[in-house]
């Protein structure tokens, strides 16, 4: 039988998303979903969507959604690009801003999809180790000869966040290189670089509706930056898929970002649970670095990361584990709702005893 | 100001989708949308979707939807891949099966997005002229040294369809090359190659929910083929975007493909209007080749393609026009609902008189 796969397709190692097992009901603390439902206004937008218009294509420019995002971010619609999840936005950044001779640079420990995107689009990559274990080494990043950087802030899977002032110093120090700030989890830290896009043309901020807006199921992410960067992303979209966002998604996300009060409330709930959970886990003897995200990086107790993961899964609690150097000492645990976190702590106590 | 666009992004010419003007209400016969609403079962799936589960990621494998498609196509779920519109499925075919030294071949007049995808993924392209103006020249295609072919059937924008027996002869004659049959409009012709995927491992059939299922607004397409081809597409998806289809889309499309009776009924309505419209247009003196699609290729009357397009737009009727050799003699006109087609004919009579 002939193998029709391209040379490239045979050589690529795809990204592995968190498992979504169907064998039984788990307490899912493995894919950083928000435990709270989306805004009631988002649900109302879903319920009032006119399904009999689905025979028509959606707005390929997502203009109404981009207006709502622009308003929330304090920019203009021409500063906003939307995609099918922030993963698609990040993916399109590679052909838009990088190439075979235009390398990308990011920390060695970060969102592992960057490496996959880069190989998919034949972009060479340089990585820089974290310093003091958990923190991004901006001094060394600056010294790398590259076209631009991907900085997940807060970083994955450590949760470590970079203060706005430090991000600005970095962005200002590399004016000829593009800084892509992946702020998927930023709302749980509250120091977004988005306002800096009005000042720095070398900054693109990428955000998502999946985490703080409780809309992982709706698949929408966006980028904020100067018009020429946004134009580059639109060009790439129109080389790949003209209509990535359906009309329901556009309406639901628009309503979600307009419900500022609900967003604030659920973000606060997640943060207060994160603080409580971190304290409880530390009391159990785990190393848990400060997190600005909706997850904690938990490990270095009497048992290995793999054992935490395996024993918790047996007990019906899913967390994320990577069997790789450094990472294998830890698990990444999503901050759930109070009752879910209580079960987690109780199970961990049993496992440790 | 520094230009951060990659060399490639600066050189690419994006695909131009049909215009979606917002200045006034048009009779939209320019993007081949179905004039009828989606199946009532699809609308019921939308209305009963549990919005409060949108905080969770959708099924990245779209298993229930793939089961329903497999049932409709008479294959197994492992023979089915789903994407965010058939455009995304077609786009992913390029890195999956082609490369810098693995060229793609297609007719010189066909869906113009193929050329854009190829350049986006750095795949060299060879094209072959149509024969007798409207028909695909399979003899010449066979003689091209390439990795595989894209055959839009019915072809765009001519509407010319290739009978199943002729497609099978072609597929059987090139066993070492991949044939990708883009059947976006096939339901309006009724001779799908999908059953042949059980017999030929070098055949991949791509379909969409946008046209015959009246779900252009929902963004879903799929491919049917042997498991190794489908696996190749899954690998590419997981290098680009793990979760391209939201849960609402999966539920709505599943319900649509299960409503066989409604699908048959609306397809029949479109075909009967196509037959009527073709006769009326020919009676006005237009050249209108036979179409197996939900659109007609209309031209060579006393007025140019551009004039038809411009004058109809002034009259509130949108059709599609390309200012390119051969194409500029024609317009592509979507078959609308009876009343829309009546307006079109009336306006054309006025313009011609």
């Amino acid at each position: 039988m002939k193998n029709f796969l391209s040379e490239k397709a045979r050589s690529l190692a795809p990204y592995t998303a968190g498992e979504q097992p169907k064998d039984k009901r788990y307490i899912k603390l493995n894919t950083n979903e928000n435990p709270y439902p989306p805004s009631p206004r988002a649900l109302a937008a879903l319920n009032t969507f006119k399904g009999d218009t689905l025979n028509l294509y959606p707005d390929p420019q997502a203009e109404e959604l981009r207006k709502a995002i622009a308003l929330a971010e304090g920019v203009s619609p021409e500063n906003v690009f939307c995609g099918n999840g922030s993963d698609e936005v990040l993916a399109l950044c590679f052909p838009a801003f990088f190439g075979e001779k235009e390398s990308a640079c990011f920390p060695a420990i970060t969102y592992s999809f960057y490496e996959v995107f880069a190989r998919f689009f034949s972009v060479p990559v340089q990585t820089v180790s974290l310093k003091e274990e958990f923190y991004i080494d901006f001094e060394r990043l600056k010294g790398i000869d590259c076209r631009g950087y991907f900085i997940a802030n807060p970083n994955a899977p450590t949760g470590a966040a970079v203060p706005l002032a430090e991000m600005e110093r970095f962005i200002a120090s590399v004016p000829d290189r593009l800084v892509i700030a992946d702020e998927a989890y930023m709302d749980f830290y509250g120091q977004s670089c988005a306002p800096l896009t009005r000042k720095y043309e070398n900054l693109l901020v990428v955000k998502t509706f999946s985490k703080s807006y409780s809309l992982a199921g709706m698949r929408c992410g966006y980028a904020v930056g100067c018009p020429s960067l946004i134009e580059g992303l639109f060009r790439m979209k129109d080389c790949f898929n003209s209509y990535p966002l359906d009309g329901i998604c556009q309406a639901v996300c628009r309503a979600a970002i307009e419900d500022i009060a609900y967003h604030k409330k659920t973000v606060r709930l997640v943060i207060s649970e994160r603080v409580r959970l971190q304290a409880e886990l530390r009391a159990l003897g785990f190393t848990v670095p400060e997190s600005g995200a909706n997850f904690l990086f938990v490990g270095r107790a009497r048992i290995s990361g793999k054992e935490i993961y395996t024993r918790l899964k047996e007990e019906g609690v899913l967390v994320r584990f990577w069997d790789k150097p450094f990472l294998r000492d830890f698990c990444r645990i999503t901050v759930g709702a109070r009752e879910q976190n209580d079960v987690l702590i109780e199970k961990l106590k049993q496992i440790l005893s």
Side-chain angles (χ1 to χ4, degrees), chain A:
Chain A
M1 185 194 140
K2 191 165 158 64
N3 187 341
F4 288 101
L5 255 58
S6 69
E7 238 179 81
K8 188 170 191 170
R10 273 176 267 181
S11 75
L12 289 171
Y15 175 74
T16 313
E19 60 193 322
Q20 308 273 9
K22 287 158 192 156
D23 56 336
K24 63 173 181 177
R25 279 184 77 87
Y26 288 93
I27 293 182
K28 271 192 91 256
L29 303 177
N30 70 325
T31 49
N32 298 343
E33 289 144 332
N34 196 314
Y36 305 106
S39 147
R41 286 173 63 174
L43 298 181
L46 172 61
N47 292 332
T48 56
F49 185 86
K50 289 187 196 329
D52 57 4
T53 64
L54 284 173
N55 62 318
L56 303 178
Y57 282 97
D59 177 2
Q61 316 292 330
E63 285 189 13
E64 294 303 319
L65 173 58
R66 285 166 56 225
K67 273 186 211 165
I69 292 168
L71 196 67
E73 297 289 359
V75 296
S76 301
E78 62 173 10
N79 299 112
V80 179
F81 173 81
C82 295
N84 180 21
S86 62
D87 281 346
E88 190 185 59
V89 177
L90 291 165
L92 293 175
C93 285
F94 281 84
F97 310 119
F98 302 89
E100 285 184 26
K101 290 170 185 167
E102 300 153 316
S103 71
C105 178
F106 39 82
I109 300 289
T110 191
Y111 186 32
S112 56
F113 219 145
Y114 302 154
E115 181 90 38
V116 178
F117 293 142
R119 290 177 54 117
F120 185 65
F121 285 109
S122 305
V123 170
V125 160
Q126 291 161 284
T127 61
V128 166
S129 305
L130 297 182
K131 64 175 181 181
E132 298 153 32
E133 294 200 325
F134 301 121
Y135 300 99
I136 293 173
D137 191 340
F138 286 104
E139 279 311 311
R140 281 197 55 211
L141 284 173
K142 274 187 226 173
I144 301 291
D145 181 22
C146 64
R147 194 68 196 265
Y149 304 92
F150 285 82
I151 307 292
N153 185 29
N155 198 15
T158 62
V162 183
L164 181 58
E166 193 175 344
M167 279 299 286
E168 180 165 7
R169 272 198 301 278
F170 177 64
I171 295 158
S173 74
V174 291
D176 290 338
R177 299 185 192 149
L178 182 62
V179 178
I180 295 168
D182 176 358
E183 297 192 346
Y185 300 104
M186 178 49 81
D187 291 336
F188 304 108
Y189 181 61
Q191 298 198 36
S192 173
C193 285
L196 296 181
T197 59
R198 295 195 296 261
K199 195 169 161 189
Y200 297 98
E201 289 187 334
N202 65 324
L203 171 64
L204 187 79
V205 176
V206 178
K207 297 194 172 186
T208 180
F209 284 91
S210 296
K211 309 299 180 183
S212 64
Y213 289 98
S214 304
L215 284 169
M218 202 69 264
R219 317 308 309 123
C220 189
Y222 62 91
V224 179
C226 72
S228 69
L229 298 177
I230 297 304
E231 167 67 17
L233 289 170
F234 268 105
R235 287 174 69 87
M236 295 304 96
K237 168 183 94 69
D238 288 328
C239 288
F240 183 81
N241 192 0
S242 309
Y243 303 94
L245 295 185
D246 66 63
I248 300 170
C249 172
Q250 294 183 32
V252 168
C253 290
R254 180 184 164 195
I257 205 166
E258 286 173 349
D259 194 348
I260 298 166
Y262 184 85
H263 184 242
K264 266 196 187 155
K265 188 179 79 177
T266 49
V267 163
R268 264 200 222 111
L269 279 169
V270 170
I271 292 173
S272 78
E273 273 301 296
R274 179 183 73 207
V275 170
R276 180 179 79 95
L277 188 58
Q278 187 191 40
E280 298 244 31
L281 290 165
R282 283 179 173 172
L284 291 177
F286 289 103
T287 296
V288 190
E290 286 305 312
S291 168
N294 69 338
F295 56 82
L296 294 165
F297 196 51
V298 181
R300 295 218 177 123
R302 283 181 285 119
I303 58 175
S304 68
K306 187 167 191 170
E307 202 175 344
I308 301 173
Y309 161 76
T310 311
R311 299 281 298 277
L312 280 175
K313 187 169 178 184
E314 285 164 12
E315 298 288 334
V317 180
L318 272 185
V319 300
R320 189 90 195 259
F321 170 71
W322 292 269
D323 198 1
K324 289 181 183 168
F326 177 70
L327 297 179
R328 71 166 62 91
D329 293 345
F330 295 85
C331 283
R332 190 196 66 189
I333 304 182
T334 306
V335 177
R338 173 168 274 272
E339 321 78 64
Q340 296 177 307
N341 300 332
D342 286 344
V343 174
L344 169 75
I345 292 293
E346 189 198 332
K347 298 294 182 191
L348 281 172
K349 280 179 182 164
Q350 284 170 23
I351 291 165
L352 288 169
S353 72

